[in-house]
Amino acid sequence: VSPATEAGTSSSSESTSSEDTLDQDSPPPVIVPQHTMTTQARSGIVKPNPRYALFTVKSAYPVPKSVKAALQDKGWHGAMDVEMDNMEETETFELVPPEEDQNPIGCGWIYKEKLNADGTLLKLRARLVAKGNQQEEGVDFLETFSPVVRTATIRTILHVAVSKEWKIRQLDVQNAFLHGDLNETVYMKQPPGYEDPTRRDYVCKLKKAIYGLKQAPRAWFDKFSSFLLRFGFECSFPDPSL
């Protein structure tokens, strides 16, 4: 190796060593904006990234991988009890003896965390969802289309309400799909973890729509829109969802 090469290698090693020392011991450089505007960066205000807050909450209260794991957790078990209580209150289904011509579809639980705006845990939500991919068209469902409101319609309503100084109120229906009436006869297996020990071979005959059914959105829209019409509202011809 020539002396020049040795010198170059030594210089490069010293430069790398000094950079490593600088990275380890020195704080990261603060970039000061050159403009005259008053900003958070110029004032030294640093807010935590909300994505990390959401990750912290989810890792602290993980979603269960199975029904057995959910039933062993007090929080998730309570959320499942709330869902079953809502179904019992709305008389969503009834247990009937199995018959040969029945085609009961499966069902399962979906677990989700409800978070506040700051990323903290608000509540736990467990939802019983039917396996709609097992439904047979013409037997388990007929029509599935449901009108969906357009963004332009919402903007128009808000514009009219503001210009006329109307009061705006928003209605949030808890478990909305559980209120839709079914016109078809649909059989479903008993919810996992909540099987009747005295009638394990029985199946659920659905009276109301639940999440996952192909006709659930239409059933809920028919129920809600018919109530509004009886209450005195009128339907818009250009936009049937209004």
Side-chain angles (χ1 to χ4, degrees), residues 105 129-132 135 177 182 186 206 208-217:
I105 62 177
V129 179
K131 297 181 180 180
Q135 289 185 271
F177 280 11
L182 288 179
V186 181
L206 295 178
K208 303 289 184 66
I210 67 172
Y211 290 89
L213 292 181
K214 294 184 179 296
Q215 66 267 44

Side-chain angles (χ1 to χ4, degrees), residues 188-209:
M188 184 184 71
K189 298 179 181 178
Q190 296 190 42
Y194 289 85
E195 297 88 350
D196 191 329
T198 61
R199 297 177 293 178
R200 290 188 176 274
D201 58 333
Y202 278 40
V203 296
C204 301
K205 181 179 180 181
L206 295 178
K207 299 180 180 179
K208 303 289 184 66

Side-chain angles (χ1 to χ4, degrees), residues 7 10 19 26 43 54 56 59-60 66 75 80 99 106 113 123 139 148 154 158 168 185 203 224-225:
S10 175
E19 289 179 0
S26 303
S43 303
L54 299 180
T56 302
S59 61
S66 63
M80 296 168 69
E99 298 179 2
E113 300 159 306
K123 64 178 179 179
V139 178
V148 179
I154 299 177
L158 294 178
I168 302 176
T185 302
V203 296
F224 185 62
S225 60

Side-chain angles (χ1 to χ4, degrees), residues 96-177:
V96 296
E99 298 179 2
E100 294 183 358
D101 58 343
Q102 294 175 352
N103 181 32
I105 62 177
C107 60
W109 290 96
I110 292 182
Y111 307 99
K112 187 177 182 181
E113 300 159 306
K114 292 290 185 177
L115 305 177
N116 294 308
D118 58 354
T120 57
L121 182 64
L122 174 61
K123 64 178 179 179
L124 302 177
R125 170 64 62 85
R127 227 182 254 294
L128 183 64
V129 179
K131 297 181 180 180
N133 59 336
Q134 299 179 358
Q135 289 185 271
E136 183 178 349
E137 185 176 1
V139 178
D140 300 315
F141 68 93
L142 298 176
E143 295 180 309
T144 61
F145 174 74
S146 176
V148 179
V149 66
R150 297 179 298 177
T151 305
T153 303
I154 299 177
R155 291 178 176 177
T156 303
I157 293 299
L158 294 178
H159 175 75
V160 174
V162 171
S163 62
K164 293 183 175 294
E165 298 182 354
W166 289 349
K167 293 182 179 180
I168 302 176
R169 296 181 181 180
Q170 178 178 341
L171 176 66
D172 184 14
V173 181
Q174 183 178 5
N175 290 37
F177 280 11

